[in-house]
Amino acid sequence: MNQERIYQVVLGPVITEKATRGAEHNQITSRVLLDATKPEIKAAVEQLFSVKVKAVNTMRVKGKAKRFRNVMGKRSDWKKA
């Protein structure tokens, strides 16, 4: 995996109460690309944060249908790891 792809895989942290509870047990939760695989995520996190990753769990979050005034819209899907 090239250096450019490593910086594109991890998009940013997820800041929720549940993710904060995971941080107490040395776990991080972050948004990743929809097409990122577990080995790619593992390699990216190990190189970016200089840590040894034991396991990677992923989950696709479906976007919600939302209304803005009288117009229906849809939030985009995203993936967390």
Side-chain angles (χ1 to χ4, degrees), residues 8-15 29-32 78-81:
Q8 292 175 349
V9 169
V10 179
L11 300 177
V14 175
I15 309 297
T29 306
S30 60
R31 290 177 82 130
V32 295
W78 57 285
K79 188 175 192 177
K80 69 179 174 180

Side-chain angles (χ1 to χ4, degrees), residues 11-57:
L11 300 177
V14 175
I15 309 297
T16 60
E17 289 183 26
K18 190 171 183 178
T20 305
R21 280 187 265 133
E24 295 172 356
H25 302 287
N26 296 327
Q27 297 176 352
I28 63 165
T29 306
S30 60
R31 290 177 82 130
V32 295
L33 292 177
L34 277 173
D35 63 342
T37 62
K38 288 184 178 186
E40 283 181 336
I41 296 167
K42 180 178 178 179
V45 170
E46 286 179 346
Q47 288 190 4
L48 289 174
F49 300 110
S50 302
V51 294
K52 179 69 178 150
V53 176
K54 289 184 180 179
V56 176
N57 298 324

